[in-house]
Amino acid sequence: MSRDLPPQQVFHVTSGHVYGAIGADLHVYRDRGPVYVLAPYRSRAVAPEQVPISQPSRLLNARYEVVAFTGRQRELAKLADWRDGADARLALAWLHGPGGQGKSRLAAQFAAESAAANWRVVTATHGAGAVVAGVGGDDLSVAGAAGVLLLVDYADRWPVSHLTLLLSNQLLHHDVPTRVLLLARGVSAWPALCGAVERADLGAETADLPLG
């Protein structure tokens, strides 16, 4: 086989759903499937007319980006400084605030701006049986990328052991700047995660970012 050919994965599934990843690890339970699912960041923006009239409340879901992003320029600038200015190759930030304060929408805007700056932006979805639309053997290689940005939503709902497993993924250990942005409502899990990162000697910077 020519070395110039891109990596390929071939799956044969009789029923159910199959996951694969190029350039990253896939951690699975023996009997329950993936511990988490990695996928390239994809905007889920929709036009209001695409929302079923019987479900108008979906217009309020930040992930669909029905309303154009506005404000939060100070927070975006702070995230960009963290992304570009951290001294360590690997840096983690715990972005936290009460529900409904705009964490997910801010992260989506930051993800879009990072992707436009040639960062490889990846999302991590937690839970056995998690299904992410459009995922199946995604190429997560970082060749040519300015860096890697991993988004972890609802990080405070993950067991700390699963977060540390995620941080061991080879996706985060290439020779490029790597940033992990964890979104949470509270900070109860953050000290334990910082302790685990220190014990693992990952050489990572950590930052606590409360959302005003």
Side-chain angles (χ1 to χ4, degrees):
M1 181 181 293
S2 171
R3 294 183 179 180
D4 296 329
L5 293 177
Q8 296 182 357
Q9 290 181 321
V10 179
F11 301 102
H12 299 281
V13 183
T14 302
S15 62
H17 198 90
V18 65
Y19 295 103
I22 298 172
D25 295 318
L26 184 64
H27 293 122
V28 299
Y29 294 109
R30 179 176 296 179
D31 57 348
R32 288 187 289 166
V35 179
Y36 56 83
V37 178
L38 299 178
Y41 170 77
R42 297 178 177 90
S43 172
R44 300 183 65 178
V46 299
E49 57 268 21
Q50 293 178 276
V51 177
I53 195 171
S54 61
Q55 298 176 302
S57 63
R58 292 179 64 183
L59 288 167
L60 301 177
N61 195 320
R63 73 182 62 183
Y64 296 124
E65 304 175 24
V66 172
V67 178
F69 183 86
T70 185
R72 295 289 190 191
Q73 296 306 311
R74 177 183 296 179
E75 289 84 352
L76 279 173
K78 189 172 184 178
L79 286 171
D81 288 343
W82 163 74
R83 181 193 65 202
D84 301 331
D87 293 329
R89 186 198 61 80
L90 176 62
L92 286 64
W94 188 270
L95 179 66
H96 58 93
Q101 295 299 305
K103 297 182 297 296
S104 296
R105 190 67 180 90
L106 174 63
Q109 182 66 23
F110 179 57
E113 293 184 6
S114 297
N118 195 36
W119 281 67
R120 165 66 80 177
V121 184
V122 179
T123 59
T125 303
H126 181 247
V131 175
V132 181
V135 174
D138 283 305
D139 185 355
L140 301 177
S141 59
V142 302
V148 175
L149 171 64
L150 177 65
L151 302 179
V152 186
D153 207 353
Y154 300 108
D156 48 343
R157 300 182 185 178
W158 291 51
V160 172
S161 61
H162 291 184
L163 288 173
T164 55
L165 187 63
L166 173 65
L167 294 177
S168 74
N169 198 294
Q170 69 166 314
L171 172 70
L172 307 179
H173 299 283
H174 297 286
D175 191 23
V176 295
T178 302
R179 308 291 178 253
V180 182
L181 181 62
L182 304 110
L183 312 181
R185 293 190 175 186
V187 296
S188 59
W190 179 230
L193 181 60
C194 288
V197 168
E198 184 174 351
R199 287 191 298 274
D201 196 22
L202 296 178
E205 289 185 6
T206 56
D208 181 350
L209 301 178
L211 184 64

